[in-house]
Amino acid sequence: MALATKDESGVAIMTDTVDAATAAGRLAAGVAAEPAGPARDAAFAHALQVLHERRDEFNEQGHVSRDYIALLKKAGLFGVAVPEQFGGDPQPPAQFMKQVEQISAIDPATGWVASFGSAPVYFASLPVETQRRIYAESTDIVFAAGMFPMFEAERVEGGYICSGEWQFASGCKGADLLGMGLRGGEETNGKPLTALVDPAKVDIVDNWSVAGMKATGSHNVRADRVFVPDEMTFVRGGKPTIDEPVSRYPVIAYAAQVLAVVGLGAARGALDYVTEVGSANASITGGPAKGNRANYKSGLAKAEADLRSARAFFYETTEEVWAKAVANEEITDRDKALLRMAAAQAAHVSRDVVLAAFNLAGTGAIFEGHPLQRFLQDGLVPAQHAMLQEHIFEAAGALLLGLDPGIPSFP
């Protein structure tokens, strides 16, 4: 059954009565997280084991298969940010991100897809009734979004007519619900709007041809005059309509953190390789095992120290701000700036550590099939992301000095 709405010119736009919230719930309803405790821990351990076996498959096909995403759902990865009042089991950010880090130490691209288990924090600014509908059939919703470029949607009675093509919709082939970025206005304080749609209403443009993060399947999403009702749009980073610790934690900072932690995992995977495997390799020229060389020992030690230092800053800051969210204390712009700074630092140090591991591995690491290639190609990507690039340090430093950060909506 369909309903007709009209645009400003009087042209009818047909829309299904089954909205995106209901469609998402039905898509997700077949798989649910195991009960918290031993069963969920076992599901996570199983997912890690399977990933060892299938990571090459995901890389070759260019996306993480939906049946594997189902394993991550069973492990609870896609319910970590769903509020308790809707039946969720929200997790502290550090707890969730350490799981993403473990996944990324096996396959960073799969870790990137898993990191969007935190995405429901965005939904906290939706109307309460919309959130209730989204989670009515399942609290394990997989969300993917192409936010940019932001398009000017056509305003009609009750919502928007959306047309455009959005980039970088990571994990879109396995998503239960998709988002599209719309240009905001004075009413959004310059922040973008996100329009939520049923994946069946848009086209995935299969154009993800990249050197790194191949398995994220970050294709374009195209819409042609798709109607999105007002209640299925929200301001990205807008004021939450519910009040729980998970909705108090800074949403934009969290979005940057879950990507940065993928870099930490990639760096750990690379270091584990050069420590446990690469160090025993002898040179093809007849030299001693690489681990017995002075530059290998000192290079490994420095990389380990750098990674652990960045990781400690990252999680220390996370825990401090989370404690404020739990206690319902004010989370200041300085707190948010430290989160953004720690995330950027983690991403950039991780990239340096991956390159250090590559350097230690020597000539053999240049071959496509070398184990370090996975961590090299994927591990360089997080620091390239707009939320983690060098300018974040300048913006954070300006804010710490009481100056204008120079970036809209920062931190």
PDB file of all heavy atoms in Angstrom, residues 7 44 53 55 105 122 155 162 166 169 171 200 246 295 301 307 320 346 359 390 392 407:
ATOM      1  N   ASP A   7       4.894  17.605  -3.835  1.00  0.00           N
ATOM      2  CA  ASP A   7       5.960  18.591  -3.669  1.00  0.00           C
ATOM      3  C   ASP A   7       5.364  19.980  -3.883  1.00  0.00           C
ATOM      4  O   ASP A   7       4.163  20.145  -4.077  1.00  0.00           O
ATOM      5  CB  ASP A   7       7.137  18.300  -4.599  1.00  0.00           C
ATOM      6  CG  ASP A   7       6.795  18.417  -6.092  1.00  0.00           C
ATOM      7  OD1 ASP A   7       5.756  19.011  -6.408  1.00  0.00           O
ATOM      8  OD2 ASP A   7       7.588  17.929  -6.922  1.00  0.00           O
ATOM      9  N   PHE A  44      31.567 -13.362  20.668  1.00  0.00           N
ATOM     10  CA  PHE A  44      32.612 -12.451  20.202  1.00  0.00           C
ATOM     11  C   PHE A  44      33.881 -13.238  19.867  1.00  0.00           C
ATOM     12  O   PHE A  44      34.515 -13.002  18.829  1.00  0.00           O
ATOM     13  CB  PHE A  44      32.905 -11.393  21.259  1.00  0.00           C
ATOM     14  CG  PHE A  44      33.941 -10.378  20.842  1.00  0.00           C
ATOM     15  CD1 PHE A  44      33.711  -9.539  19.756  1.00  0.00           C
ATOM     16  CD2 PHE A  44      35.141 -10.267  21.522  1.00  0.00           C
ATOM     17  CE1 PHE A  44      34.659  -8.602  19.362  1.00  0.00           C
ATOM     18  CE2 PHE A  44      36.096  -9.333  21.140  1.00  0.00           C
ATOM     19  CZ  PHE A  44      35.854  -8.506  20.061  1.00  0.00           C
ATOM     20  N   GLU A  53      39.703 -16.508   9.341  1.00  0.00           N
ATOM     21  CA  GLU A  53      39.491 -17.399   8.201  1.00  0.00           C
ATOM     22  C   GLU A  53      38.925 -16.667   6.978  1.00  0.00           C
ATOM     23  O   GLU A  53      39.153 -17.107   5.841  1.00  0.00           O
ATOM     24  CB  GLU A  53      38.528 -18.516   8.604  1.00  0.00           C
ATOM     25  CG  GLU A  53      39.024 -19.361   9.779  1.00  0.00           C
ATOM     26  CD  GLU A  53      37.923 -20.212  10.412  1.00  0.00           C
ATOM     27  OE1 GLU A  53      36.757 -20.112   9.945  1.00  0.00           O
ATOM     28  OE2 GLU A  53      38.218 -20.945  11.373  1.00  0.00           O
ATOM     29  N   ARG A  55      38.955 -13.006   6.372  1.00  0.00           N
ATOM     30  CA  ARG A  55      39.361 -11.629   6.080  1.00  0.00           C
ATOM     31  C   ARG A  55      39.831 -11.446   4.640  1.00  0.00           C
ATOM     32  O   ARG A  55      39.570 -10.406   4.016  1.00  0.00           O
ATOM     33  CB  ARG A  55      40.434 -11.176   7.070  1.00  0.00           C
ATOM     34  CG  ARG A  55      41.677 -12.044   7.101  1.00  0.00           C
ATOM     35  CD  ARG A  55      42.593 -11.646   8.241  1.00  0.00           C
ATOM     36  NE  ARG A  55      43.766 -12.519   8.322  1.00  0.00           N
ATOM     37  CZ  ARG A  55      44.723 -12.399   9.239  1.00  0.00           C
ATOM     38  NH1 ARG A  55      44.636 -11.438  10.149  1.00  0.00           N
ATOM     39  NH2 ARG A  55      45.752 -13.217   9.251  1.00  0.00           N
ATOM     40  N   ALA A 105      42.827  -5.564  14.911  1.00  0.00           N
ATOM     41  CA  ALA A 105      44.143  -6.197  14.972  1.00  0.00           C
ATOM     42  C   ALA A 105      44.185  -7.447  14.095  1.00  0.00           C
ATOM     43  O   ALA A 105      45.275  -7.937  13.762  1.00  0.00           O
ATOM     44  CB  ALA A 105      44.487  -6.567  16.411  1.00  0.00           C
ATOM     45  N   TYR A 122      23.791   8.798  17.398  1.00  0.00           N
ATOM     46  CA  TYR A 122      23.226   9.871  16.585  1.00  0.00           C
ATOM     47  C   TYR A 122      21.705   9.921  16.711  1.00  0.00           C
ATOM     48  O   TYR A 122      21.099  10.996  16.677  1.00  0.00           O
ATOM     49  CB  TYR A 122      23.572   9.666  15.111  1.00  0.00           C
ATOM     50  CG  TYR A 122      24.988   9.974  14.726  1.00  0.00           C
ATOM     51  CD1 TYR A 122      25.760   9.014  14.072  1.00  0.00           C
ATOM     52  CD2 TYR A 122      25.565  11.219  14.959  1.00  0.00           C
ATOM     53  CE1 TYR A 122      27.064   9.292  13.680  1.00  0.00           C
ATOM     54  CE2 TYR A 122      26.858  11.499  14.579  1.00  0.00           C
ATOM     55  CZ  TYR A 122      27.604  10.534  13.930  1.00  0.00           C
ATOM     56  OH  TYR A 122      28.888  10.809  13.541  1.00  0.00           O
ATOM     57  N   ARG A 155      11.848  20.989   0.373  1.00  0.00           N
ATOM     58  CA  ARG A 155      10.923  20.966   1.512  1.00  0.00           C
ATOM     59  C   ARG A 155       9.499  20.810   1.005  1.00  0.00           C
ATOM     60  O   ARG A 155       9.055  21.529   0.114  1.00  0.00           O
ATOM     61  CB  ARG A 155      11.042  22.278   2.298  1.00  0.00           C
ATOM     62  CG  ARG A 155      10.401  22.203   3.676  1.00  0.00           C
ATOM     63  CD  ARG A 155      11.276  21.391   4.599  1.00  0.00           C
ATOM     64  NE  ARG A 155      10.871  21.484   5.995  1.00  0.00           N
ATOM     65  CZ  ARG A 155      10.086  20.597   6.618  1.00  0.00           C
ATOM     66  NH1 ARG A 155       9.573  19.584   5.951  1.00  0.00           N
ATOM     67  NH2 ARG A 155       9.820  20.729   7.889  1.00  0.00           N
ATOM     68  N   CYS A 162      14.330  14.057  -1.287  1.00  0.00           N
ATOM     69  CA  CYS A 162      15.789  13.983  -1.329  1.00  0.00           C
ATOM     70  C   CYS A 162      16.277  13.379  -2.638  1.00  0.00           C
ATOM     71  O   CYS A 162      15.821  12.306  -3.049  1.00  0.00           O
ATOM     72  CB  CYS A 162      16.313  13.134  -0.177  1.00  0.00           C
ATOM     73  SG  CYS A 162      15.815  13.721   1.449  1.00  0.00           S
ATOM     74  N   TRP A 166      25.613  10.447  -2.501  1.00  0.00           N
ATOM     75  CA  TRP A 166      26.460  10.663  -1.332  1.00  0.00           C
ATOM     76  C   TRP A 166      27.614   9.663  -1.313  1.00  0.00           C
ATOM     77  O   TRP A 166      27.449   8.487  -1.673  1.00  0.00           O
ATOM     78  CB  TRP A 166      25.631  10.526  -0.057  1.00  0.00           C
ATOM     79  CG  TRP A 166      24.628  11.607   0.136  1.00  0.00           C
ATOM     80  CD1 TRP A 166      24.774  12.750   0.879  1.00  0.00           C
ATOM     81  CD2 TRP A 166      23.300  11.681  -0.414  1.00  0.00           C
ATOM     82  NE1 TRP A 166      23.640  13.519   0.821  1.00  0.00           N
ATOM     83  CE2 TRP A 166      22.712  12.888   0.028  1.00  0.00           C
ATOM     84  CE3 TRP A 166      22.563  10.824  -1.242  1.00  0.00           C
ATOM     85  CZ2 TRP A 166      21.421  13.269  -0.327  1.00  0.00           C
ATOM     86  CZ3 TRP A 166      21.282  11.207  -1.613  1.00  0.00           C
ATOM     87  CH2 TRP A 166      20.717  12.411  -1.147  1.00  0.00           C
ATOM     88  N   ALA A 169      29.730   5.647   2.089  1.00  0.00           N
ATOM     89  CA  ALA A 169      28.733   4.994   2.942  1.00  0.00           C
ATOM     90  C   ALA A 169      29.284   3.638   3.390  1.00  0.00           C
ATOM     91  O   ALA A 169      28.862   2.581   2.910  1.00  0.00           O
ATOM     92  CB  ALA A 169      27.412   4.838   2.206  1.00  0.00           C
ATOM     93  N   GLY A 171      30.041   0.183   4.836  1.00  0.00           N
ATOM     94  CA  GLY A 171      29.183  -0.892   5.305  1.00  0.00           C
ATOM     95  C   GLY A 171      27.784  -0.876   4.744  1.00  0.00           C
ATOM     96  O   GLY A 171      26.906  -1.594   5.248  1.00  0.00           O
ATOM     97  N   ALA A 200      16.076  -0.149   0.590  1.00  0.00           N
ATOM     98  CA  ALA A 200      15.397  -0.526  -0.640  1.00  0.00           C
ATOM     99  C   ALA A 200      14.976   0.693  -1.462  1.00  0.00           C
ATOM    100  O   ALA A 200      14.655   0.560  -2.648  1.00  0.00           O
ATOM    101  CB  ALA A 200      14.166  -1.379  -0.323  1.00  0.00           C
ATOM    102  N   VAL A 246      24.744   7.269  27.811  1.00  0.00           N
ATOM    103  CA  VAL A 246      25.183   7.056  26.439  1.00  0.00           C
ATOM    104  C   VAL A 246      24.814   8.223  25.532  1.00  0.00           C
ATOM    105  O   VAL A 246      25.498   8.489  24.534  1.00  0.00           O
ATOM    106  CB  VAL A 246      24.605   5.728  25.887  1.00  0.00           C
ATOM    107  CG1 VAL A 246      23.109   5.833  25.642  1.00  0.00           C
ATOM    108  CG2 VAL A 246      25.343   5.285  24.641  1.00  0.00           C
ATOM    109  N   ASN A 295      69.058  -2.416  15.124  1.00  0.00           N
ATOM    110  CA  ASN A 295      68.010  -1.504  14.652  1.00  0.00           C
ATOM    111  C   ASN A 295      66.620  -2.121  14.793  1.00  0.00           C
ATOM    112  O   ASN A 295      65.633  -1.423  15.007  1.00  0.00           O
ATOM    113  CB  ASN A 295      68.272  -1.094  13.200  1.00  0.00           C
ATOM    114  CG  ASN A 295      68.048  -2.235  12.220  1.00  0.00           C
ATOM    115  OD1 ASN A 295      68.572  -3.332  12.416  1.00  0.00           O
ATOM    116  ND2 ASN A 295      67.282  -1.981  11.168  1.00  0.00           N
ATOM    117  N   ALA A 301      61.084  -1.561  19.992  1.00  0.00           N
ATOM    118  CA  ALA A 301      60.830  -1.008  21.322  1.00  0.00           C
ATOM    119  C   ALA A 301      60.236   0.395  21.239  1.00  0.00           C
ATOM    120  O   ALA A 301      59.288   0.732  21.966  1.00  0.00           O
ATOM    121  CB  ALA A 301      62.120  -0.988  22.140  1.00  0.00           C
ATOM    122  N   LEU A 307      53.066   3.402  20.612  1.00  0.00           N
ATOM    123  CA  LEU A 307      51.685   2.922  20.512  1.00  0.00           C
ATOM    124  C   LEU A 307      51.028   2.876  21.884  1.00  0.00           C
ATOM    125  O   LEU A 307      49.887   3.330  22.057  1.00  0.00           O
ATOM    126  CB  LEU A 307      51.656   1.534  19.874  1.00  0.00           C
ATOM    127  CG  LEU A 307      50.269   0.895  19.726  1.00  0.00           C
ATOM    128  CD1 LEU A 307      49.350   1.765  18.870  1.00  0.00           C
ATOM    129  CD2 LEU A 307      50.371  -0.513  19.134  1.00  0.00           C
ATOM    130  N   GLU A 320      37.662   9.348  31.584  1.00  0.00           N
ATOM    131  CA  GLU A 320      37.378  10.560  32.355  1.00  0.00           C
ATOM    132  C   GLU A 320      36.061  11.203  31.913  1.00  0.00           C
ATOM    133  O   GLU A 320      35.242  11.608  32.746  1.00  0.00           O
ATOM    134  CB  GLU A 320      38.534  11.557  32.202  1.00  0.00           C
ATOM    135  CG  GLU A 320      39.812  11.147  32.926  1.00  0.00           C
ATOM    136  CD  GLU A 320      40.955  12.099  32.659  1.00  0.00           C
ATOM    137  OE1 GLU A 320      40.800  13.015  31.811  1.00  0.00           O
ATOM    138  OE2 GLU A 320      42.028  11.935  33.292  1.00  0.00           O
ATOM    139  N   ALA A 346      45.969   9.206  18.332  1.00  0.00           N
ATOM    140  CA  ALA A 346      45.943   7.752  18.164  1.00  0.00           C
ATOM    141  C   ALA A 346      46.055   7.370  16.696  1.00  0.00           C
ATOM    142  O   ALA A 346      46.801   6.451  16.328  1.00  0.00           O
ATOM    143  CB  ALA A 346      44.660   7.176  18.767  1.00  0.00           C
ATOM    144  N   ASN A 359      58.951  -1.001   7.908  1.00  0.00           N
ATOM    145  CA  ASN A 359      60.390  -0.751   7.755  1.00  0.00           C
ATOM    146  C   ASN A 359      61.205  -1.893   8.356  1.00  0.00           C
ATOM    147  O   ASN A 359      62.186  -2.363   7.764  1.00  0.00           O
ATOM    148  CB  ASN A 359      60.752   0.571   8.435  1.00  0.00           C
ATOM    149  CG  ASN A 359      62.217   0.920   8.284  1.00  0.00           C
ATOM    150  OD1 ASN A 359      62.736   0.936   7.174  1.00  0.00           O
ATOM    151  ND2 ASN A 359      62.883   1.201   9.384  1.00  0.00           N
ATOM    152  N   GLU A 390      45.430  16.451  10.410  1.00  0.00           N
ATOM    153  CA  GLU A 390      46.319  17.338  11.172  1.00  0.00           C
ATOM    154  C   GLU A 390      45.627  18.589  11.706  1.00  0.00           C
ATOM    155  O   GLU A 390      45.978  19.099  12.770  1.00  0.00           O
ATOM    156  CB  GLU A 390      47.508  17.762  10.288  1.00  0.00           C
ATOM    157  CG  GLU A 390      48.554  16.688  10.088  1.00  0.00           C
ATOM    158  CD  GLU A 390      49.464  16.535  11.295  1.00  0.00           C
ATOM    159  OE1 GLU A 390      49.435  17.424  12.182  1.00  0.00           O
ATOM    160  OE2 GLU A 390      50.203  15.538  11.355  1.00  0.00           O
ATOM    161  N   ILE A 392      43.008  18.959  13.142  1.00  0.00           N
ATOM    162  CA  ILE A 392      42.350  18.743  14.432  1.00  0.00           C
ATOM    163  C   ILE A 392      43.250  19.212  15.573  1.00  0.00           C
ATOM    164  O   ILE A 392      42.769  19.782  16.562  1.00  0.00           O
ATOM    165  CB  ILE A 392      41.979  17.258  14.609  1.00  0.00           C
ATOM    166  CG1 ILE A 392      40.963  16.829  13.545  1.00  0.00           C
ATOM    167  CG2 ILE A 392      41.429  17.001  16.017  1.00  0.00           C
ATOM    168  CD1 ILE A 392      39.652  17.588  13.567  1.00  0.00           C
ATOM    169  N   ILE A 407      36.951  25.716  13.016  1.00  0.00           N
ATOM    170  CA  ILE A 407      36.245  24.616  12.341  1.00  0.00           C
ATOM    171  C   ILE A 407      34.793  24.664  12.797  1.00  0.00           C
ATOM    172  O   ILE A 407      34.528  24.668  13.996  1.00  0.00           O
ATOM    173  CB  ILE A 407      36.848  23.241  12.692  1.00  0.00           C
ATOM    174  CG1 ILE A 407      38.313  23.159  12.234  1.00  0.00           C
ATOM    175  CG2 ILE A 407      36.052  22.121  12.049  1.00  0.00           C
ATOM    176  CD1 ILE A 407      38.978  21.857  12.608  1.00  0.00           C
TER     177      ILE A 407
END
